[in-house]
Amino acid sequence: MTTVLDPPKVKEVFTDGVLLHNISWTTYEDLLRANPDTPSLRLTYDRGDLLIMVTSQEHEEINEIFRLLIHLLAEEFEIGFRGFGSA
């Protein structure tokens, strides 16, 4: 018996990524395993939709500003703070 799967369909294209539909969980896991050391690549999966994004320099700059702001607020209010980067 042969099973024919529908090919992925592009749902939306963004300036920094693309949203694909009809992607299997296995394909998502394969992509994660194939790109373990690509910190700028962001893959997000939700019920067959796969969002593939690449972080930009602007994104990282904004991320750093928020990290510093939160760190300063935590220090000022004596709240414990631990950063985990993109994890």
Side-chain angles (χ1 to χ4, degrees):
M1 182 172 143
T2 302
T3 303
V4 177
L5 300 175
D6 291 329
K9 296 180 179 85
V10 175
K11 289 183 83 174
E12 294 181 52
V13 177
F14 307 99
T15 57
D16 55 355
V18 64
L19 178 61
L20 301 175
H21 179 66
N22 198 30
I23 303 297
S24 71
W25 179 258
T26 304
T27 299
Y28 170 65
E29 288 182 318
D30 290 343
L31 287 168
L32 289 175
R33 275 193 295 276
N35 298 285
D37 299 320
T38 312
S40 63
L41 179 65
R42 300 284 190 259
L43 301 173
T44 305
Y45 184 86
D46 181 28
R47 295 169 284 181
D49 289 343
L50 177 64
L51 177 60
I52 302 173
M53 294 181 64
V54 179
T55 57
S56 64
Q57 186 176 7
E58 179 184 16
H59 174 272
E60 291 302 317
E61 186 175 9
I62 293 168
N63 184 39
E64 181 66 11
I65 290 168
F66 277 113
R67 188 194 69 75
L68 288 170
L69 177 63
I70 291 169
H71 179 77
L72 289 171
L73 288 170
E75 192 173 285
E76 183 66 28
F77 291 105
E78 298 179 0
I79 299 171
F81 173 79
R82 294 176 15 186
F84 294 98
S86 297

